[in-house]
Amino acid sequence: MSAILEGTPDKKLALVTGRAYPEQAQETAKYLGTDVLETTAYDFANGEMYVRYTEPVRGADAFVMQAHTEPINKWIMEQLIMVDAMKRASARSITVVAPFLGYSRQDKKHQGREPITARLMFDLFRSAGADRIMTVDLHAAQEQGFFDGPVDHLTAMPILLDYVRNSMPLENTTIVSPDAGRIKVSEQWAAKLGGLPLAFIHKTRDTTRPNHAEAHGIIGDVKGRDCVVVDDMIDTAGTICEAVRTLNNAGAKSVTLVATHGLLSGPAVERLRDCGAREIVLTDTVPVPEEKRLPNMTVLSVAPLLAAGIRSVFESGSVSTLLNSLPEDMRPRNIYA
């Protein structure tokens, strides 16, 4: 099997990956019916990185995949170097595939003299030579306007919805938004699951203290209900565990946590273990190592979603159709990561 996938005349697809999470790229390549193009990459003694592709990529539509996981700054820098190498190797087009885009939560200024680091990320990739960006569940959808080119904003909702739909009865279920900013997404969940009732937690966030928010109350009926809390990421898990406690104190029958990005930094695993959630459902946009997995944690693979997105871009098809469901031939063969 060749690492260069022949497409329509004069079109070639090349999928390459950094060293942060190569297993994800290999799984994505299986769905595409190709191989990951071999890359030589190593660190110098002082921490500088070197990247070289072992096969010609001239004229190829290149997809440069990297997980922005810890150490996040190293892997972002490696992806920038890979994009530069691809540009200098005369690739026809370069798409950055970052399932979780680092710094995406820093999308606006709360106080004076702050950076808008999400914009900086897009500028860096554009300057390096990227023609387009592909990512999953940005912190704020309007960040797509930060990039001077196409942004394929995929969502893990079809994968997560299928799992929730098939893993728990929904007759007594309420969809819960963990804050006012996620209400629109929670409304979509409620509608796609058959018009379920919706609730949201009123909370305030101290912009001077990262990863800290305080819940004040619940709008909506959750007493005696199976609650599904939908969020984009779980980082230190402080705010999401506070949501679980708030719901349990309000009389919820059970609480299931669903999030796209399981960053699980610092005390996250201990907090999730002790918070009282029935189940925690994540995807592998960043790797979730075995030592961070709990008995009640489920990690789903986003490889079929990424493969479907890459194929749509390569074949000049519609990516928006993936907002509702995956193509039949991209349905997960193994949904777990």
Side-chain angles (χ1 to χ4, degrees):
M1 186 183 295
S2 172
I4 302 292
L5 185 65
E6 300 290 341
T8 55
D10 302 320
K11 289 193 74 176
K12 299 183 292 182
L13 184 152
L15 176 64
V16 297
T17 182
R19 293 172 289 167
Y21 191 17
E23 297 84 0
Q24 184 179 68
Q26 290 158 5
E27 187 67 18
T28 301
K30 288 180 184 178
Y31 282 93
L32 289 168
T34 185
D35 290 328
V36 178
L37 188 138
E38 188 177 347
T39 304
T40 300
Y42 56 80
D43 296 346
F44 290 100
N46 70 341
E48 294 177 10
M49 287 173 282
Y50 171 88
V51 171
R52 179 181 179 270
Y53 303 112
T54 59
E55 294 183 40
V57 292
R58 182 180 297 272
D61 291 311
F63 294 83
V64 182
M65 185 181 294
Q66 180 78 297
H68 293 183
T69 186
E70 54 183 342
I72 186 169
N73 297 322
K74 174 178 179 175
W75 298 133
I76 290 172
M77 188 65 195
E78 183 180 69
Q79 193 173 27
L80 287 165
I81 294 171
M82 294 176 73
V83 170
D84 184 76
M86 193 64 73
K87 176 182 68 175
R88 297 178 191 281
S90 300
R92 178 176 176 268
S93 69
I94 303 171
T95 299
V96 166
V97 182
F100 166 68
L101 186 68
Y103 292 94
S104 64
R105 77 185 95 175
Q106 298 184 45
D107 61 324
K108 57 183 173 292
K109 292 179 67 170
H110 296 281
Q111 304 178 89
R113 302 176 298 283
E114 282 186 339
I116 302 180
T117 320
R119 171 61 191 263
L120 174 63
M121 286 288 296
F122 284 106
D123 287 347
L124 287 169
F125 281 117
R126 188 61 163 172
S127 297
D131 298 296
R132 67 193 302 141
I133 304 283
M134 181 179 295
T135 188
V136 181
D137 287 335
L138 282 167
H139 189 63
Q142 60 265 31
E143 291 177 45
Q144 297 171 77
F146 290 163
F147 188 68
D148 187 19
V151 176
D152 300 302
H153 186 206
L154 307 178
T155 176
M157 190 182 297
I159 295 170
L160 294 167
L161 274 171
D162 279 349
Y163 178 81
V164 170
R165 192 182 285 120
N166 296 321
S167 65
M168 61 184 292
L170 299 176
E171 300 81 15
N172 190 47
T173 299
T174 294
I175 303 299
V176 179
S177 172
D179 55 44
R182 300 292 296 174
I183 288 178
K184 188 177 287 284
V185 172
S186 298
E187 285 176 342
Q188 294 172 353
W189 269 74
K192 290 178 183 292
L193 289 174
L196 295 178
L198 181 69
F200 82 89
I201 297 172
H202 171 57
K203 72 179 184 184
T204 55
R205 185 177 294 276
D206 186 347
T207 59
T208 66
R209 300 171 62 190
N211 303 105
H212 179 80
E214 184 175 346
H216 296 293
I218 301 170
I219 304 204
D221 182 22
V222 299
K223 188 172 184 179
R225 309 277 299 177
D226 295 309
C227 296
V228 177
V229 182
V230 182
D231 210 347
D232 62 328
M233 72 172 73
I234 298 178
D235 190 2
T236 61
T239 56
I240 202 77
C241 290
E242 179 69 21
V244 175
R245 284 188 287 272
T246 302
L247 290 167
N248 284 333
N249 291 338
K253 181 180 177 183
S254 70
V255 181
T256 299
L257 302 179
V258 179
T260 301
H261 310 298
L263 308 184
L264 306 184
S265 307
V269 174
E270 290 75 16
R271 287 173 172 174
L272 290 169
R273 180 185 294 117
D274 301 334
C275 74
R278 183 186 71 87
E279 186 176 9
I280 302 128
V281 185
L282 308 169
T283 73
D284 70 333
T285 54
V286 295
V288 182
E290 285 299 325
E291 62 268 22
K292 290 188 176 183
R293 299 196 182 195
L294 299 170
N296 63 337
M297 183 181 291
T298 301
V299 184
L300 306 176
S301 172
V302 293
L305 174 66
L306 298 173
I310 289 170
R311 187 176 68 181
S312 294
V313 170
F314 180 60
E315 296 178 350
S316 300
S318 173
V319 175
S320 61
T321 58
L322 304 179
L323 300 177
N324 296 317
S325 63
L326 297 177
E328 195 61 41
D329 64 327
M330 292 289 182
R331 294 291 172 90
R333 298 158 192 147
N334 178 12
I335 65 172
Y336 302 106

